[in-house]
Amino acid sequence: MLTRPCPGFKAAGIAAGIKKNGLKDLGLILCDAPAPVAGLFTRNQVQAAPVRLDRERIGGGLCRAVIVNSGNANCCTGEDGYRHAVRMARAAASTLKVPEEQVLVASTGVIGEPLPVERIEQALPELARRLSPEGLSEFAEAIMTTDRVPKVVSRQGRLAGQPFTLTGAVKGAGMIRPDVATMLCFLMTDVQAESGVLQAMLKTAADRSFNRISVDGDTSTNDTILLLAGGASGAAVDQAAAQAAFQPVLDAVMLELAKWVVKDAEGANKLVEIIVRGARSEADALRVADTVANSPLVKTALFGEDANWGRILAAAGRAGVPFDPGGVDLFIGPVQIVSKGLGCGRAAEAQAARVLRSAEFAIGLELHAGPAQASVFTCDFSIDYVKINADYRS
Amino acid sequence: MLTRPCPGFKAAGIAAGIKKNGLKDLGLILCDAPAPVAGLFTRNQVQAAPVRLDRERIGGGLCRAVIVNSGNANCCTGEDGYRHAVRMARAAASTLKVPEEQVLVASTGVIGEPLPVERIEQALPELARRLSPEGLSEFAEAIMTTDRVPKVVSRQGRLAGQPFTLTGAVKGAGMIRPDVATMLCFLMTDVQAESGVLQAMLKTAADRSFNRISVDGDTSTNDTILLLAGGASGAAVDQAAAQAAFQPVLDAVMLELAKWVVKDAEGANKLVEIIVRGARSEADALRVADTVANSPLVKTALFGEDANWGRILAAAGRAGVPFDPGGVDLFIGPVQIVSKGLGCGRAAEAQAARVLRSAEFAIGLELHAGPAQASVFTCDFSIDYVKINADYRS
């Protein structure tokens, strides 16, 4: 795991007693100076208290610290929940001696149970003492719910010759499970940038990464992505040329984190890229790819390692995008199994079955309807997914 | 099982050797006279050959016979597949001595394999010999794929004092599996009606029945509903009053068949009605109910018999319909478990868990946003669903 610290940031994570199993459940990020910040939040009508608070505070444009707990989503908890989110931020602000309105919060875990905010308040002094430039891996551990591994990615780039760093941590069950679900992503960089510029670039990168992964189509009440630009490198993202140099690094880090979420999806065994080519528009291509990527039938066939191309064509056909089914080609990895809408026979299926046994591969669907393409990352749908989701609270 | 024959119709079903397991796989319906006919077909872009043929022929407005096979969907089979569908209809027409263009066809089973049309041609004389007014139950058996039981429903009604009969047979795995999937429904009645009138009433009834069930959101390439009005009763569905008397019977038969499809869904253990009340419009209510009914997380919680109300609210919240999450109430059967967006506590959850252990119940979500309501029938999402769909072709 890459854990290159981002200059200007410290992080830490500890067990505060929110999770019943005694694992780490409270994480903290501190920036040396107020950092311009951008954020993206869940579009679910049901929004957790921390999301409501962050939406208000992010308008200020600056963030000094982020306090995150796992084990409790602080969602569907009413006005008490909102007050608990405020108290959680206030405790961090007073411990760190930073302005309260520059503290953002995030929570993930069970919905509908009161947040044990006293445990967070009690744990904060110790958590603050542990803050260190190398602390991001324990922070990443502290925000996990049913994630199998902590997920941190770091890259470096150059702006007008000056090096900069971008480091991100993500948690996500991938197969979203509202109780323990939620995709939380925290990105730190040492470039200098205004929050408006950051916001536009974050949105662009999300559309190329987290908005291109699909696990089960459920959207959490707590999804949060934050990007903080501390500025320690002195490299400025201001002009168009600098933005053009920064965006690919942001895209790459977020895509890597997003793919990691899919790979780590509960019960998942395979990371599969669904690539749709030859669509009339990118929107059309994305819609077809999304429908295939979300089809329970395609996903169970992936689990079964079955070259069941009829399911893929049938899913594509219900995406609401016009194309000629008699003209499509389909590839599993490099193996063509459908040519002009017709199966290529048993030998091709046997070859495709070998590709399906691998852990990562692509499925390519060529519509021959236009010049556009798009892709989505998905995973298989396993017996473990059902077991975990059926048994979770029992 | 109700198998009241509909006067004026005969049916039969036999094993023609299309299914590998030797079970019945070829069914036939014959009307004594050319019957005005209405039809609804899949909206999938990928349309099986029999659907393409029926769409052309139904414009003629009259149907004398329907020939249906299971074990092979005759889909993604190209122009050969279309010619096979024509041959299948022609064989029935010549055996029965009825006009070829008044024969409709349907197929269900594996996608992408050539239809063994010779076996259908060879079996037709024997199939025609077996035709009988009591033959609908063996017809219903012959159209099954992974259905656990043959499904036939019959009701009687009165039009201006004159009794009439409506009888229908359906097959549907419920959890749609493109290989063996497809919802096929054949309705016979002895009223007199024009095909245009039948079409409008069929559409209305479908919107109240088959369009209100949800299993996994996948749409088959072969879905077909046909309604034949033989006219033997002499009761006429012509004036508005007669339509008003016939529609509820049609609605009731189709809703019963639709619920049966959900109950018989592969791996399903529970039939659950998701009722959304207090929406601004029926479309809003339906959208929320549909999203809840299709959520893998809600469906796995139903399988686990877990009163996991957070998942239901989270699914409702992502339906794209505005409502105040702080104002909603939620009921599982008669038990209220959420009041004004907050959980009603452990005792209520324990009571709800008892309801969840039953085979049929309703989940009621009150949005308090308006006067409209809608409901959708769904089932649980089980380990067996994944097993069956992962292993189907292996």
Side-chain angles (χ1 to χ4, degrees), chain B residues 212 273-293 312 315-316 319 321-323 328-331 362-377:
Chain B
R212 294 287 172 100
E273 185 172 15
I274 308 289
I275 308 170
V276 174
R277 296 197 188 84
R280 293 180 313 176
S281 66
E282 193 187 349
D284 272 9
L286 190 56
R287 207 163 156 189
V288 173
D290 242 350
T291 309
V292 173
I312 298 169
V321 169
F323 64 86
V328 305
D329 299 325
L330 185 70
F331 298 81
I363 292 178
L365 178 63
E366 171 62 68
L367 299 180
H368 294 291
Q373 75 167 61
S375 80
V376 169
F377 288 90

mmCIF file of all heavy atoms in Angstrom, chain B residues 212 273-293 312 315-316 319 321-323 328-331 362-377:
data_model
loop_
_atom_site.group_PDB
_atom_site.id
_atom_site.type_symbol
_atom_site.label_atom_id
_atom_site.label_comp_id
_atom_site.label_asym_id
_atom_site.label_seq_id
_atom_site.Cartn_x
_atom_site.Cartn_y
_atom_site.Cartn_z
ATOM 1 N N ARG B 212 -46.671 -3.843 -12.211
ATOM 2 C CA ARG B 212 -46.541 -3.520 -10.790
ATOM 3 C C ARG B 212 -45.865 -4.642 -10.016
ATOM 4 O O ARG B 212 -46.032 -4.737 -8.801
ATOM 5 C CB ARG B 212 -47.944 -3.273 -10.180
ATOM 6 C CG ARG B 212 -48.653 -2.049 -10.714
ATOM 7 C CD ARG B 212 -48.016 -0.791 -10.164
ATOM 8 N NE ARG B 212 -48.559 0.390 -10.821
ATOM 9 C CZ ARG B 212 -49.499 1.170 -10.283
ATOM 10 N NH1 ARG B 212 -49.987 0.915 -9.105
ATOM 11 N NH2 ARG B 212 -49.920 2.230 -10.946
ATOM 12 N N GLU B 273 -45.952 -6.689 -0.610
ATOM 13 C CA GLU B 273 -46.503 -5.526 -1.299
ATOM 14 C C GLU B 273 -45.878 -4.266 -0.699
ATOM 15 O O GLU B 273 -45.939 -4.054 0.507
ATOM 16 C CB GLU B 273 -48.034 -5.489 -1.144
ATOM 17 C CG GLU B 273 -48.656 -4.352 -1.941
ATOM 18 C CD GLU B 273 -50.189 -4.404 -1.964
ATOM 19 O OE1 GLU B 273 -50.773 -5.140 -1.154
ATOM 20 O OE2 GLU B 273 -50.779 -3.683 -2.803
ATOM 21 N N ILE B 274 -45.258 -3.475 -1.551
ATOM 22 C CA ILE B 274 -44.688 -2.193 -1.105
ATOM 23 C C ILE B 274 -45.720 -1.120 -1.439
ATOM 24 O O ILE B 274 -45.975 -0.835 -2.611
ATOM 25 C CB ILE B 274 -43.364 -1.874 -1.840
ATOM 26 C CG1 ILE B 274 -42.374 -3.047 -1.765
ATOM 27 C CG2 ILE B 274 -42.758 -0.578 -1.315
ATOM 28 C CD1 ILE B 274 -41.771 -3.300 -0.426
ATOM 29 N N ILE B 275 -46.313 -0.538 -0.401
ATOM 30 C CA ILE B 275 -47.363 0.460 -0.599
ATOM 31 C C ILE B 275 -46.803 1.831 -0.211
ATOM 32 O O ILE B 275 -46.367 2.021 0.918
ATOM 33 C CB ILE B 275 -48.590 0.160 0.282
ATOM 34 C CG1 ILE B 275 -49.055 -1.291 0.070
ATOM 35 C CG2 ILE B 275 -49.715 1.143 -0.002
ATOM 36 C CD1 ILE B 275 -50.109 -1.743 1.080
ATOM 37 N N VAL B 276 -46.806 2.751 -1.158
ATOM 38 C CA VAL B 276 -46.356 4.117 -0.854
ATOM 39 C C VAL B 276 -47.567 5.036 -0.860
ATOM 40 O O VAL B 276 -48.289 5.116 -1.862
ATOM 41 C CB VAL B 276 -45.291 4.588 -1.862
ATOM 42 C CG1 VAL B 276 -44.947 6.048 -1.633
ATOM 43 C CG2 VAL B 276 -44.050 3.712 -1.747
ATOM 44 N N ARG B 277 -47.801 5.703 0.245
ATOM 45 C CA ARG B 277 -48.943 6.617 0.386
ATOM 46 C C ARG B 277 -48.440 8.044 0.600
ATOM 47 O O ARG B 277 -47.292 8.260 0.956
ATOM 48 C CB ARG B 277 -49.788 6.240 1.613
ATOM 49 C CG ARG B 277 -50.445 4.885 1.525
ATOM 50 C CD ARG B 277 -51.577 4.762 2.570
ATOM 51 N NE ARG B 277 -52.066 3.389 2.594
ATOM 52 C CZ ARG B 277 -51.502 2.395 3.295
ATOM 53 N NH1 ARG B 277 -50.448 2.651 4.051
ATOM 54 N NH2 ARG B 277 -51.989 1.178 3.255
ATOM 55 N N GLY B 278 -49.357 8.993 0.383
ATOM 56 C CA GLY B 278 -49.029 10.384 0.703
ATOM 57 C C GLY B 278 -48.008 10.988 -0.240
ATOM 58 O O GLY B 278 -47.243 11.872 0.140
ATOM 59 N N ALA B 279 -47.986 10.515 -1.496
ATOM 60 C CA ALA B 279 -47.089 11.114 -2.488
ATOM 61 C C ALA B 279 -47.828 12.240 -3.206
ATOM 62 O O ALA B 279 -49.054 12.332 -3.161
ATOM 63 C CB ALA B 279 -46.627 10.060 -3.491
ATOM 64 N N ARG B 280 -47.074 13.085 -3.901
ATOM 65 C CA ARG B 280 -47.699 14.205 -4.610
ATOM 66 C C ARG B 280 -48.485 13.721 -5.817
ATOM 67 O O ARG B 280 -49.471 14.343 -6.210
ATOM 68 C CB ARG B 280 -46.633 15.210 -5.042
ATOM 69 C CG ARG B 280 -45.958 15.922 -3.861
ATOM 70 C CD ARG B 280 -44.925 16.897 -4.361
ATOM 71 N NE ARG B 280 -44.099 16.230 -5.380
ATOM 72 C CZ ARG B 280 -43.152 16.819 -6.084
ATOM 73 N NH1 ARG B 280 -42.910 18.094 -5.891
ATOM 74 N NH2 ARG B 280 -42.448 16.157 -6.974
ATOM 75 N N SER B 281 -48.040 12.626 -6.439
ATOM 76 C CA SER B 281 -48.743 12.085 -7.604
ATOM 77 C C SER B 281 -48.591 10.577 -7.600
ATOM 78 O O SER B 281 -47.714 10.035 -6.919
ATOM 79 C CB SER B 281 -48.139 12.649 -8.895
ATOM 80 O OG SER B 281 -46.813 12.169 -9.049
ATOM 81 N N GLU B 282 -49.453 9.896 -8.380
ATOM 82 C CA GLU B 282 -49.342 8.445 -8.455
ATOM 83 C C GLU B 282 -47.998 8.055 -9.074
ATOM 84 O O GLU B 282 -47.386 7.067 -8.672
ATOM 85 C CB GLU B 282 -50.505 7.872 -9.279
ATOM 86 C CG GLU B 282 -50.633 6.370 -9.129
ATOM 87 C CD GLU B 282 -51.666 5.738 -10.058
ATOM 88 O OE1 GLU B 282 -52.448 6.499 -10.681
ATOM 89 O OE2 GLU B 282 -51.677 4.500 -10.163
ATOM 90 N N ALA B 283 -47.528 8.854 -10.032
ATOM 91 C CA ALA B 283 -46.235 8.555 -10.665
ATOM 92 C C ALA B 283 -45.113 8.612 -9.633
ATOM 93 O O ALA B 283 -44.227 7.757 -9.615
ATOM 94 C CB ALA B 283 -45.971 9.540 -11.811
ATOM 95 N N ASP B 284 -45.164 9.625 -8.765
ATOM 96 C CA ASP B 284 -44.171 9.720 -7.683
ATOM 97 C C ASP B 284 -44.244 8.498 -6.772
ATOM 98 O O ASP B 284 -43.216 7.902 -6.417
ATOM 99 C CB ASP B 284 -44.426 10.974 -6.825
ATOM 100 C CG ASP B 284 -43.710 12.206 -7.369
ATOM 101 O OD1 ASP B 284 -43.167 12.134 -8.490
ATOM 102 O OD2 ASP B 284 -43.706 13.235 -6.666
ATOM 103 N N ALA B 285 -45.466 8.145 -6.385
ATOM 104 C CA ALA B 285 -45.645 7.018 -5.470
ATOM 105 C C ALA B 285 -45.095 5.741 -6.091
ATOM 106 O O ALA B 285 -44.409 4.944 -5.441
ATOM 107 C CB ALA B 285 -47.127 6.862 -5.119
ATOM 108 N N LEU B 286 -45.381 5.564 -7.374
ATOM 109 C CA LEU B 286 -44.949 4.357 -8.071
ATOM 110 C C LEU B 286 -43.422 4.309 -8.177
ATOM 111 O O LEU B 286 -42.804 3.252 -8.018
ATOM 112 C CB LEU B 286 -45.578 4.333 -9.471
ATOM 113 C CG LEU B 286 -45.426 3.051 -10.263
ATOM 114 C CD1 LEU B 286 -45.961 1.855 -9.496
ATOM 115 C CD2 LEU B 286 -46.152 3.186 -11.609
ATOM 116 N N ARG B 287 -42.832 5.484 -8.417
ATOM 117 C CA ARG B 287 -41.374 5.536 -8.556
ATOM 118 C C ARG B 287 -40.688 5.146 -7.239
ATOM 119 O O ARG B 287 -39.705 4.412 -7.224
ATOM 120 C CB ARG B 287 -40.982 6.967 -8.955
ATOM 121 C CG ARG B 287 -39.705 7.033 -9.720
ATOM 122 C CD ARG B 287 -39.588 8.371 -10.427
ATOM 123 N NE ARG B 287 -38.183 8.668 -10.684
ATOM 124 C CZ ARG B 287 -37.732 9.817 -11.122
ATOM 125 N NH1 ARG B 287 -38.587 10.801 -11.376
ATOM 126 N NH2 ARG B 287 -36.446 10.017 -11.321
ATOM 127 N N VAL B 288 -41.228 5.651 -6.132
ATOM 128 C CA VAL B 288 -40.649 5.305 -4.829
ATOM 129 C C VAL B 288 -40.867 3.817 -4.547
ATOM 130 O O VAL B 288 -39.944 3.100 -4.138
ATOM 131 C CB VAL B 288 -41.260 6.169 -3.709
ATOM 132 C CG1 VAL B 288 -40.788 5.685 -2.336
ATOM 133 C CG2 VAL B 288 -40.891 7.643 -3.908
ATOM 134 N N ALA B 289 -42.101 3.329 -4.796
ATOM 135 C CA ALA B 289 -42.404 1.922 -4.525
ATOM 136 C C ALA B 289 -41.514 1.008 -5.365
ATOM 137 O O ALA B 289 -40.974 0.014 -4.873
ATOM 138 C CB ALA B 289 -43.878 1.638 -4.805
ATOM 139 N N ASP B 290 -41.334 1.369 -6.623
ATOM 140 C CA ASP B 290 -40.483 0.602 -7.534
ATOM 141 C C ASP B 290 -39.039 0.555 -7.062
ATOM 142 O O ASP B 290 -38.384 -0.488 -7.144
ATOM 143 C CB ASP B 290 -40.491 1.278 -8.914
ATOM 144 C CG ASP B 290 -41.071 0.375 -9.974
ATOM 145 O OD1 ASP B 290 -41.294 -0.812 -9.692
ATOM 146 O OD2 ASP B 290 -41.319 0.876 -11.081
ATOM 147 N N THR B 291 -38.526 1.689 -6.616
ATOM 148 C CA THR B 291 -37.130 1.750 -6.184
ATOM 149 C C THR B 291 -36.927 0.886 -4.941
ATOM 150 O O THR B 291 -35.945 0.150 -4.838
ATOM 151 C CB THR B 291 -36.704 3.203 -5.921
ATOM 152 O OG1 THR B 291 -37.048 3.990 -7.069
ATOM 153 C CG2 THR B 291 -35.216 3.312 -5.684
ATOM 154 N N VAL B 292 -37.873 0.964 -4.005
ATOM 155 C CA VAL B 292 -37.780 0.124 -2.807
ATOM 156 C C VAL B 292 -37.893 -1.354 -3.211
ATOM 157 O O VAL B 292 -37.118 -2.201 -2.760
ATOM 158 C CB VAL B 292 -38.879 0.494 -1.786
ATOM 159 C CG1 VAL B 292 -38.899 -0.498 -0.623
ATOM 160 C CG2 VAL B 292 -38.658 1.920 -1.275
ATOM 161 N N ALA B 293 -38.847 -1.643 -4.103
ATOM 162 C CA ALA B 293 -39.113 -3.037 -4.489
ATOM 163 C C ALA B 293 -37.943 -3.654 -5.235
ATOM 164 O O ALA B 293 -37.769 -4.868 -5.225
ATOM 165 C CB ALA B 293 -40.378 -3.110 -5.344
ATOM 166 N N ILE B 312 -34.895 0.675 3.800
ATOM 167 C CA ILE B 312 -36.114 1.071 3.081
ATOM 168 C C ILE B 312 -36.127 2.580 2.877
ATOM 169 O O ILE B 312 -36.379 3.071 1.783
ATOM 170 C CB ILE B 312 -37.363 0.577 3.845
ATOM 171 C CG1 ILE B 312 -37.337 -0.956 3.923
ATOM 172 C CG2 ILE B 312 -38.639 1.076 3.176
ATOM 173 C CD1 ILE B 312 -38.371 -1.558 4.863
ATOM 174 N N ALA B 315 -33.475 3.537 0.286
ATOM 175 C CA ALA B 315 -33.909 3.233 -1.084
ATOM 176 C C ALA B 315 -34.936 4.261 -1.540
ATOM 177 O O ALA B 315 -34.856 4.784 -2.663
ATOM 178 C CB ALA B 315 -34.486 1.820 -1.156
ATOM 179 N N ALA B 316 -35.900 4.583 -0.681
ATOM 180 C CA ALA B 316 -36.911 5.590 -1.040
ATOM 181 C C ALA B 316 -36.231 6.912 -1.363
ATOM 182 O O ALA B 316 -36.620 7.621 -2.303
ATOM 183 C CB ALA B 316 -37.911 5.758 0.100
ATOM 184 N N ALA B 319 -34.963 7.558 -4.992
ATOM 185 C CA ALA B 319 -35.908 7.366 -6.098
ATOM 186 C C ALA B 319 -36.024 8.600 -6.988
ATOM 187 O O ALA B 319 -36.659 8.550 -8.034
ATOM 188 C CB ALA B 319 -37.279 6.982 -5.554
ATOM 189 N N VAL B 321 -37.526 11.362 -6.042
ATOM 190 C CA VAL B 321 -38.801 12.014 -5.724
ATOM 191 C C VAL B 321 -38.602 12.824 -4.439
ATOM 192 O O VAL B 321 -38.176 12.272 -3.430
ATOM 193 C CB VAL B 321 -39.902 10.947 -5.496
ATOM 194 C CG1 VAL B 321 -41.152 11.564 -4.910
ATOM 195 C CG2 VAL B 321 -40.199 10.221 -6.806
ATOM 196 N N PRO B 322 -38.900 14.133 -4.486
ATOM 197 C CA PRO B 322 -38.662 14.938 -3.287
ATOM 198 C C PRO B 322 -39.679 14.640 -2.178
ATOM 199 O O PRO B 322 -40.872 14.543 -2.437
ATOM 200 C CB PRO B 322 -38.837 16.390 -3.770
ATOM 201 C CG PRO B 322 -39.280 16.328 -5.184
ATOM 202 C CD PRO B 322 -39.446 14.905 -5.605
ATOM 203 N N PHE B 323 -39.186 14.449 -0.978
ATOM 204 C CA PHE B 323 -40.052 14.353 0.202
ATOM 205 C C PHE B 323 -39.204 14.699 1.417
ATOM 206 O O PHE B 323 -37.972 14.729 1.329
ATOM 207 C CB PHE B 323 -40.692 12.963 0.335
ATOM 208 C CG PHE B 323 -39.709 11.835 0.562
ATOM 209 C CD1 PHE B 323 -39.271 11.510 1.848
ATOM 210 C CD2 PHE B 323 -39.219 11.103 -0.503
ATOM 211 C CE1 PHE B 323 -38.367 10.474 2.050
ATOM 212 C CE2 PHE B 323 -38.301 10.069 -0.306
ATOM 213 C CZ PHE B 323 -37.876 9.763 0.984
ATOM 214 N N VAL B 328 -41.528 11.086 7.444
ATOM 215 C CA VAL B 328 -42.113 9.831 6.981
ATOM 216 C C VAL B 328 -42.441 8.856 8.105
ATOM 217 O O VAL B 328 -41.794 8.844 9.152
ATOM 218 C CB VAL B 328 -41.190 9.113 5.954
ATOM 219 C CG1 VAL B 328 -40.851 10.036 4.790
ATOM 220 C CG2 VAL B 328 -39.920 8.627 6.629
ATOM 221 N N ASP B 329 -43.487 8.055 7.845
ATOM 222 C CA ASP B 329 -43.842 6.941 8.731
ATOM 223 C C ASP B 329 -43.661 5.646 7.947
ATOM 224 O O ASP B 329 -43.883 5.613 6.745
ATOM 225 C CB ASP B 329 -45.301 7.051 9.183
ATOM 226 C CG ASP B 329 -45.550 8.333 9.975
ATOM 227 O OD1 ASP B 329 -44.635 8.749 10.719
ATOM 228 O OD2 ASP B 329 -46.638 8.910 9.829
ATOM 229 N N LEU B 330 -43.297 4.579 8.650
ATOM 230 C CA LEU B 330 -43.106 3.290 7.977
ATOM 231 C C LEU B 330 -43.748 2.180 8.793
ATOM 232 O O LEU B 330 -43.606 2.141 10.025
ATOM 233 C CB LEU B 330 -41.595 3.019 7.817
ATOM 234 C CG LEU B 330 -41.220 1.764 7.030
ATOM 235 C CD1 LEU B 330 -41.553 1.920 5.549
ATOM 236 C CD2 LEU B 330 -39.723 1.461 7.182
ATOM 237 N N PHE B 331 -44.460 1.317 8.080
ATOM 238 C CA PHE B 331 -45.159 0.200 8.713
ATOM 239 C C PHE B 331 -44.713 -1.111 8.079
ATOM 240 O O PHE B 331 -44.605 -1.213 6.860
ATOM 241 C CB PHE B 331 -46.673 0.339 8.526
ATOM 242 C CG PHE B 331 -47.247 1.588 9.156
ATOM 243 C CD1 PHE B 331 -47.169 2.807 8.495
ATOM 244 C CD2 PHE B 331 -47.845 1.538 10.411
ATOM 245 C CE1 PHE B 331 -47.680 3.962 9.070
ATOM 246 C CE2 PHE B 331 -48.360 2.682 10.989
ATOM 247 C CZ PHE B 331 -48.274 3.907 10.320
ATOM 248 N N ALA B 362 -47.413 -6.707 3.844
ATOM 249 C CA ALA B 362 -47.236 -5.427 3.166
ATOM 250 C C ALA B 362 -46.272 -4.549 3.951
ATOM 251 O O ALA B 362 -46.190 -4.633 5.170
ATOM 252 C CB ALA B 362 -48.580 -4.720 3.014
ATOM 253 N N ILE B 363 -45.538 -3.730 3.212
ATOM 254 C CA ILE B 363 -44.718 -2.682 3.830
ATOM 255 C C ILE B 363 -45.316 -1.356 3.388
ATOM 256 O O ILE B 363 -45.466 -1.110 2.189
ATOM 257 C CB ILE B 363 -43.253 -2.798 3.393
ATOM 258 C CG1 ILE B 363 -42.642 -4.069 3.985
ATOM 259 C CG2 ILE B 363 -42.460 -1.565 3.813
ATOM 260 C CD1 ILE B 363 -41.195 -4.314 3.591
ATOM 261 N N GLY B 364 -45.690 -0.518 4.336
ATOM 262 C CA GLY B 364 -46.348 0.745 4.021
ATOM 263 C C GLY B 364 -45.454 1.927 4.346
ATOM 264 O O GLY B 364 -44.950 2.050 5.462
ATOM 265 N N LEU B 365 -45.242 2.789 3.352
ATOM 266 C CA LEU B 365 -44.422 3.985 3.564
ATOM 267 C C LEU B 365 -45.304 5.200 3.335
ATOM 268 O O LEU B 365 -45.875 5.371 2.253
ATOM 269 C CB LEU B 365 -43.241 3.978 2.582
ATOM 270 C CG LEU B 365 -42.296 5.178 2.613
ATOM 271 C CD1 LEU B 365 -41.589 5.290 3.959
ATOM 272 C CD2 LEU B 365 -41.262 5.063 1.498
ATOM 273 N N GLU B 366 -45.454 6.039 4.347
ATOM 274 C CA GLU B 366 -46.309 7.237 4.280
ATOM 275 C C GLU B 366 -45.401 8.454 4.170
ATOM 276 O O GLU B 366 -44.631 8.746 5.085
ATOM 277 C CB GLU B 366 -47.167 7.284 5.543
ATOM 278 C CG GLU B 366 -47.956 8.551 5.758
ATOM 279 C CD GLU B 366 -48.981 8.819 4.663
ATOM 280 O OE1 GLU B 366 -49.969 8.046 4.569
ATOM 281 O OE2 GLU B 366 -48.791 9.802 3.918
ATOM 282 N N LEU B 367 -45.446 9.133 3.004
ATOM 283 C CA LEU B 367 -44.513 10.248 2.768
ATOM 284 C C LEU B 367 -45.017 11.580 3.304
ATOM 285 O O LEU B 367 -44.245 12.516 3.488
ATOM 286 C CB LEU B 367 -44.240 10.393 1.264
ATOM 287 C CG LEU B 367 -43.601 9.206 0.540
ATOM 288 C CD1 LEU B 367 -43.407 9.541 -0.940
ATOM 289 C CD2 LEU B 367 -42.277 8.824 1.163
ATOM 290 N N HIS B 368 -46.338 11.713 3.506
ATOM 291 C CA HIS B 368 -46.944 12.977 3.956
ATOM 292 C C HIS B 368 -46.583 14.138 3.023
ATOM 293 O O HIS B 368 -46.309 15.239 3.480
ATOM 294 C CB HIS B 368 -46.512 13.304 5.394
ATOM 295 C CG HIS B 368 -47.035 12.336 6.404
ATOM 296 N ND1 HIS B 368 -48.366 12.238 6.744
ATOM 297 C CD2 HIS B 368 -46.399 11.401 7.149
ATOM 298 C CE1 HIS B 368 -48.530 11.290 7.657
ATOM 299 N NE2 HIS B 368 -47.347 10.756 7.915
ATOM 300 N N ALA B 369 -46.554 13.862 1.720
ATOM 301 C CA ALA B 369 -46.228 14.930 0.768
ATOM 302 C C ALA B 369 -47.397 15.243 -0.162
ATOM 303 O O ALA B 369 -47.320 16.176 -0.957
ATOM 304 C CB ALA B 369 -45.004 14.522 -0.063
ATOM 305 N N GLY B 370 -48.470 14.457 -0.091
ATOM 306 C CA GLY B 370 -49.596 14.668 -1.000
ATOM 307 C C GLY B 370 -50.632 13.579 -0.834
ATOM 308 O O GLY B 370 -50.561 12.791 0.109
ATOM 309 N N PRO B 371 -51.588 13.508 -1.784
ATOM 310 C CA PRO B 371 -52.718 12.597 -1.624
ATOM 311 C C PRO B 371 -52.590 11.259 -2.363
ATOM 312 O O PRO B 371 -53.456 10.394 -2.212
ATOM 313 C CB PRO B 371 -53.858 13.394 -2.262
ATOM 314 C CG PRO B 371 -53.175 14.146 -3.370
ATOM 315 C CD PRO B 371 -51.764 14.406 -2.920
ATOM 316 N N ALA B 372 -51.518 11.041 -3.141
ATOM 317 C CA ALA B 372 -51.501 9.903 -4.064
ATOM 318 C C ALA B 372 -50.835 8.669 -3.465
ATOM 319 O O ALA B 372 -50.005 8.775 -2.571
ATOM 320 C CB ALA B 372 -50.792 10.297 -5.356
ATOM 321 N N GLN B 373 -51.211 7.503 -4.005
ATOM 322 C CA GLN B 373 -50.566 6.275 -3.560
ATOM 323 C C GLN B 373 -50.405 5.283 -4.707
ATOM 324 O O GLN B 373 -51.037 5.417 -5.754
ATOM 325 C CB GLN B 373 -51.329 5.638 -2.405
ATOM 326 C CG GLN B 373 -52.612 4.931 -2.809
ATOM 327 C CD GLN B 373 -53.113 4.058 -1.655
ATOM 328 O OE1 GLN B 373 -53.412 4.558 -0.578
ATOM 329 N NE2 GLN B 373 -53.200 2.764 -1.888
ATOM 330 N N ALA B 374 -49.539 4.309 -4.498
ATOM 331 C CA ALA B 374 -49.340 3.246 -5.488
ATOM 332 C C ALA B 374 -48.681 2.086 -4.769
ATOM 333 O O ALA B 374 -48.084 2.261 -3.703
ATOM 334 C CB ALA B 374 -48.443 3.730 -6.632
ATOM 335 N N SER B 375 -48.802 0.894 -5.343
ATOM 336 C CA SER B 375 -48.132 -0.245 -4.729
ATOM 337 C C SER B 375 -47.511 -1.153 -5.774
ATOM 338 O O SER B 375 -47.916 -1.173 -6.934
ATOM 339 C CB SER B 375 -49.079 -1.016 -3.818
ATOM 340 O OG SER B 375 -49.906 -1.860 -4.580
ATOM 341 N N VAL B 376 -46.501 -1.889 -5.353
ATOM 342 C CA VAL B 376 -45.751 -2.804 -6.204
ATOM 343 C C VAL B 376 -45.536 -4.098 -5.408
ATOM 344 O O VAL B 376 -45.304 -4.038 -4.206
ATOM 345 C CB VAL B 376 -44.376 -2.188 -6.575
ATOM 346 C CG1 VAL B 376 -43.470 -3.213 -7.241
ATOM 347 C CG2 VAL B 376 -44.560 -0.982 -7.496
ATOM 348 N N PHE B 377 -45.633 -5.231 -6.083
ATOM 349 C CA PHE B 377 -45.361 -6.505 -5.431
ATOM 350 C C PHE B 377 -43.926 -6.935 -5.704
ATOM 351 O O PHE B 377 -43.459 -6.885 -6.838
ATOM 352 C CB PHE B 377 -46.317 -7.588 -5.938
ATOM 353 C CG PHE B 377 -47.714 -7.401 -5.429
ATOM 354 C CD1 PHE B 377 -48.637 -6.644 -6.134
ATOM 355 C CD2 PHE B 377 -48.102 -7.965 -4.217
ATOM 356 C CE1 PHE B 377 -49.916 -6.454 -5.655
ATOM 357 C CE2 PHE B 377 -49.391 -7.781 -3.732
ATOM 358 C CZ PHE B 377 -50.303 -7.027 -4.455
#
